[in-house]
Structure formats: C-alpha cells, structure tokens
Amino acid sequence: MQHAFAPHARSLGLRLDTLIRLRWLAVVGQTLALVIVSILLGFPVPMIPCLVVVALSVMVNVLLRIKYPVARRLPDLAAGPLLAYDVLQLTALLYLTGGLNNPFALLYLAPVMISATALSWRTTVMLGAFAVVCAGAVGLWHWPLPWAETNVPVLPDLFLAGTWVALSVSVGFIGLHSWRVAEEARELADALAATELVLAREQHLSQLDGLAAAAAHELGTPLATIALVVRELEHSTKPDDPHADDIALLRDQVKRCRDILQTLTSLGSGDAPFDRMPLSILIEEVVEPHRNFGIDIVVDLPEDRDAEPVIARNPGLIYGLGNLVENAVDFAAERVHLTARWTGTRMELIVLDDGPGFSPEVSDRIGQPYVTSRTRDRADGVEESGLGLGFFIAKTLLERTGATLSVKNRPLPARGAEVHISWPRSAVALDGDETASNQRTHAPEGIKGA
C-alpha cells in the first residue's frame, strides 16, 4: 500500500482566532474557579499569584489580537509554542494550588487534543511529551492543596504516581485517537474534493454538445444572410469579372460553415443516441477504450433482451464504471469478464478479472480514500503506484446514482477480483422508452448473448 505523502507530516494549521477564543474561554473558566473556591467555598487560595498567572494569559491574547490578523492560520512552528505556553500556564496554576492533588490536572489533555485535531503528528507528540513532563514536575514540587480545615489531606506518593501514569496514558491515548479521527476526516475531505473535480470535468464535457447546439442556432441566421448575399453577387457577376473567383471562394466557405454547423447541431441534438441508451450500448461505450491493451474483454448479457433497461446518459455513471473496468484491465492476466443482468426491480453488473486479486492488507478497506495495492512494474521497468483514489472516486460516483458496491476476491480455484454493482431499476432506468428497440439492432460487436 502506497501513500502519496507521509500522514504524520500533514498539517492544516490552526487559526489564530480559534486559539485566542479558546484561551479566553480558559481565562474565564480559571477566574471563575478561583473566585468560587476562594470566596464561596472559603478555601485559602493564593489569589494574587494565581491572578497574576491568569493575567499573563490575558496579556498574551491581547498582544496576539493587536499584532496579527485574526484570520491568520498558524503553522506548526507558531501554533506549537502557543499551545506549549498554555501547558506552562496550567502548570503554574497547579503548582500554586496543590499539583496533581488538584483535580483540574486533567486539563493537560486540552492542548494535546487541540494539537491532535489541527497540527501534525510530530508536533502533537512533542506537545504531549512536554505535558507529561510538566505534570510529573508539578507532582513532585507544588504548594499545598487549598483546604478549608487545618488537617489538609495528604495523598500517598504511590497514589500521586498512579495519577501521573494515568494522566500520561490519557494524553497518549486521547491524543492518538483524536489525531487519527481528524486525519481520516482530512483524507475524506481531500478525496471528496478530488471526486467533485472529476465529476465537474465530466459534466463540463457532456455540456459541450449543448453549447455547440446553441452556437449553431445563433450562427444559423447570419450565415443564411451571408449565403443569400453571396448568391445575389454571384448572379450579378460576369464570368470574366476579376472578383468572380473571390465570390466563388466565399460561396465555398459559406457551404463549409453550413456543414460545420450541421455537425455541431447533430452533436448537440436531443436524439436518443446521445441522451439515453440501452444498457448494452452503455457497457460497450465504457469498455471500448480498454480493448486495445492485450486483455480480452467479454461482456455477457441475458438472452432475453426485451426488458433491457434504457439508461439516461450520466457522466458520473460512465466515469465510475470506466474506472472499475480500467482497474480490472490493469491487473488482469488475460481476460476481464463483465456480466449484466436485470429484473423488473433491479439491475446488476459484475466485473471479474483473472489477476492477483486484492491483497489481504487492503481487502477490508477497499473503497476508502488513499487505500491502494497498486504497485507494479511497467514494461519499461518503471515502478507504477497509485494514490488510492481511483476506486474511491468510482464508488462515490456510482453510489450517487443509487448503486451499492461489494468487493471480494473470487473463490478458489478461480483467480482475481470480483466487483458487484447493483441498482434499483427505478434509480437509473428509463422504462417505457423505445430507444432500446431502436438501438438493439445496432448492438456493437464483442457483446455476447445479443
């Protein structure tokens, strides 16, 4: 399995405004906690040193707000130290209020989680290690825990050591879990963006015929006027006139323009061959570009073709099926087999190849973005690998048409992979259309069962 990048090196950065807002929330929470513990509960909290530490965070926030634009996105080298400052500020407060005896020591998890969701894995590991070291230091050296009574409870050293170990494990586990979830969300967002780009490209290509028809319609009237003027000039010009050849050339060019507009009109027309097609024609359009690569592509259709579905032309459907066929051809040894079948309620397509099949390490994750087993040598000796987006894009596009996909290796003794695609017939078929009967007589060669 190959990745186009090292996941631990990826970072989207952290918006300065987000970091400032979170720190303001921390300042308000710390101030309220100090006031409640000191005034309402009557605990002897060292208020002045604690408020000085809180005021330092206020100063940092104000300076950041004045010096930098709030929309600025901080890279790891800037966001990491700011989060490390938050760890130090929490350490100072815990040092003044009992160290690890203070239940607010759990707040060490907050900066690590923020880093895990927005920054790189390397920065998160360094920040987590720094938080663990600070927690260990404040567990050893700290002021007494504020307590209302004279007999302040003293927790055993073994209990404090266990608290530090639990905090360290929590930092590691929660940080890793948060980073993995955020990384998967980033990968999915990137893959969906790539899918949208591919689909937009296909839709733009499919709209060219409509633009051609519009251009032909708009140009038809002025061209007819030009043709009329040329004809009048030709009738009023004598054969020996020096401009006769120019007028004849102009007449020929007008005829050529008419032929071009006629071609554009035919491409952009709403005729059935372009707007809709029976399933057999759609399959042949998908497989035709892959027939010249030394792999035999066989298409099997039911013998009874009376109820063959008629499919509306859909760029996403054609591209998704084409991607699956391309993958099968790339890995097949000799043959790719496509089987189509349908009932009154469902339509199915099965793509088989006789290649090595899906490798065990990726078979359970096929269809997720950036998962690939494509690592092979081309004929020129250059290693070829994929990004793992092809099958994901195909799966996404086909699922948008209402399809469900299942992927597995063919059962022994057969070799290769099997992809099963199934649609509710109502999702893609235009039943009741006469296009199927009109086009079935022109079924392309290479389709069996016609």
Side-chain angles (χ1 to χ4, degrees):
M1 182 174 61
Q2 299 289 329
H3 285 269
F5 48 81
H8 62 272
R10 289 183 54 188
S11 171
L12 299 179
L14 183 64
R15 288 183 68 239
L16 179 61
D17 185 62
T18 300
L19 193 58
I20 291 176
R21 289 175 183 272
L22 291 174
R23 188 174 288 122
W24 280 127
L25 181 62
V27 167
V28 172
Q30 292 167 358
T31 304
L32 287 177
L34 291 173
V35 170
I36 291 174
V37 171
S38 177
I39 297 178
L40 296 184
L41 300 181
F43 288 2
V45 178
M47 286 293 292
I48 294 180
C50 289
L51 291 177
V52 169
V53 174
V54 175
L56 186 60
S57 288
V58 174
M59 292 176 57
V60 171
N61 259 10
V62 172
L63 290 175
L64 289 175
R65 180 72 72 174
I66 294 174
K67 188 174 182 180
Y68 300 104
V70 294
R72 180 175 179 177
R73 186 169 290 276
L74 301 175
D76 282 33
L77 292 178
L82 288 177
L83 290 174
Y85 161 78
D86 292 330
V87 173
L88 277 177
Q89 194 255 7
L90 177 62
T91 301
L93 285 177
L94 291 176
Y95 171 79
L96 296 171
T97 56
L100 291 185
N101 294 294
N102 192 326
F104 287 100
L106 291 176
L107 290 176
Y108 275 118
L109 297 175
V112 178
M113 289 186 63
I114 295 172
S115 175
T117 55
L119 305 181
S120 69
W121 173 238
R122 183 182 296 108
T123 301
T124 302
V125 170
M126 295 175 62
L127 186 65
F130 181 64
V132 169
V133 171
C134 289
V138 83
L140 295 175
W141 301 285
H142 55 81
W143 287 14
L145 178 70
W147 203 254
E149 301 176 359
T150 55
N151 296 326
V152 179
V154 179
L155 298 177
D157 293 340
L158 183 60
F159 180 84
L160 294 178
T163 301
W164 177 78
V165 171
L167 186 61
S168 302
V169 172
S170 299
V171 167
F173 177 77
I174 295 178
L176 176 61
H177 181 76
S178 300
W179 177 83
R180 185 62 257 176
V181 171
E183 182 68 10
E184 289 179 357
R186 287 192 287 264
E187 290 179 353
L188 184 60
D190 292 344
L192 287 175
T195 302
E196 294 292 344
L197 288 176
V198 171
L199 184 57
R201 177 179 177 273
E202 295 298 319
Q203 289 175 336
H204 290 162
L205 290 176
S206 67
Q207 291 169 357
L208 287 179
D209 54 359
L211 294 176
H217 176 74
E218 295 296 330
L219 293 175
T221 300
L223 186 61
T225 303
I226 295 173
L228 178 61
V229 173
V230 170
R231 188 161 52 249
E232 293 296 332
L233 288 174
E234 193 172 23
H235 290 163
S236 62
T237 303
K238 297 180 180 180
D240 57 349
D241 191 293
H243 298 293
D245 292 339
D246 294 335
I247 295 175
L249 177 62
L250 186 58
R251 180 197 61 204
D252 294 339
Q253 294 303 311
V254 169
K255 183 178 182 300
R256 183 183 176 190
C257 288
R258 279 184 167 178
D259 294 339
I260 293 174
L261 291 182
Q262 183 67 27
T263 302
L264 293 178
T265 303
S266 65
L267 288 176
S269 65
D271 295 339
F274 294 94
D275 285 349
R276 57 193 68 190
M277 60 189 71
L279 180 60
S280 57
I281 304 297
L282 183 142
I283 293 175
E284 184 60 25
E285 178 176 338
V286 168
V287 303
E288 180 61 29
H290 308 287
R291 288 193 180 277
N292 300 319
F293 294 94
I295 301 298
D296 184 22
I297 302 179
V298 178
V299 180
D300 281 343
L301 299 172
E303 294 183 1
D304 183 9
R305 303 278 294 283
D306 291 337
E308 180 177 356
V310 176
I311 310 299
R313 187 177 184 85
N314 184 323
L317 176 63
I318 295 175
Y319 184 87
L321 291 178
N323 201 304
L324 296 180
V325 173
E326 180 183 1
N327 283 343
V329 170
D330 285 345
F331 288 99
E334 297 179 354
R335 173 174 294 190
V336 172
H337 203 123
L338 281 77
T339 302
R341 52 178 180 247
W342 55 81
T343 64
T345 58
R346 297 204 68 82
M347 185 180 75
E348 298 178 347
L349 182 64
I350 302 173
V351 182
L352 307 174
D353 65 69
D354 57 354
F358 297 108
S359 57
E361 63 268 19
V362 302
S363 59
D364 292 337
R365 297 188 293 131
I366 286 292
Q368 298 180 14
Y370 303 105
V371 174
T372 178
S373 58
R374 184 190 293 268
T375 303
R376 56 186 301 175
D377 293 332
R378 300 189 323 210
D380 55 5
V382 179
E383 185 182 82
E384 181 182 278
S385 64
L387 297 180
L389 283 177
F391 195 92
F392 170 79
I393 292 175
K395 181 173 181 288
T396 301
L397 293 178
L398 291 175
E399 286 179 345
R400 287 185 175 183
T401 67
T404 56
L405 280 75
S406 62
V407 180
K408 63 181 180 180
N409 287 328
R410 299 172 65 183
L412 296 174
R415 297 178 65 249
E418 174 180 336
V419 180
H420 185 276
I421 313 118
S422 176
W423 293 266
R425 182 162 177 150
S426 59
V428 291
L430 303 175
D431 291 327
D433 197 282
E434 297 180 357
T435 305
S437 60
N438 293 335
Q439 291 189 354
R440 196 173 293 120
T441 58
H442 304 287
E445 296 180 0
I447 297 183
K448 294 185 177 181

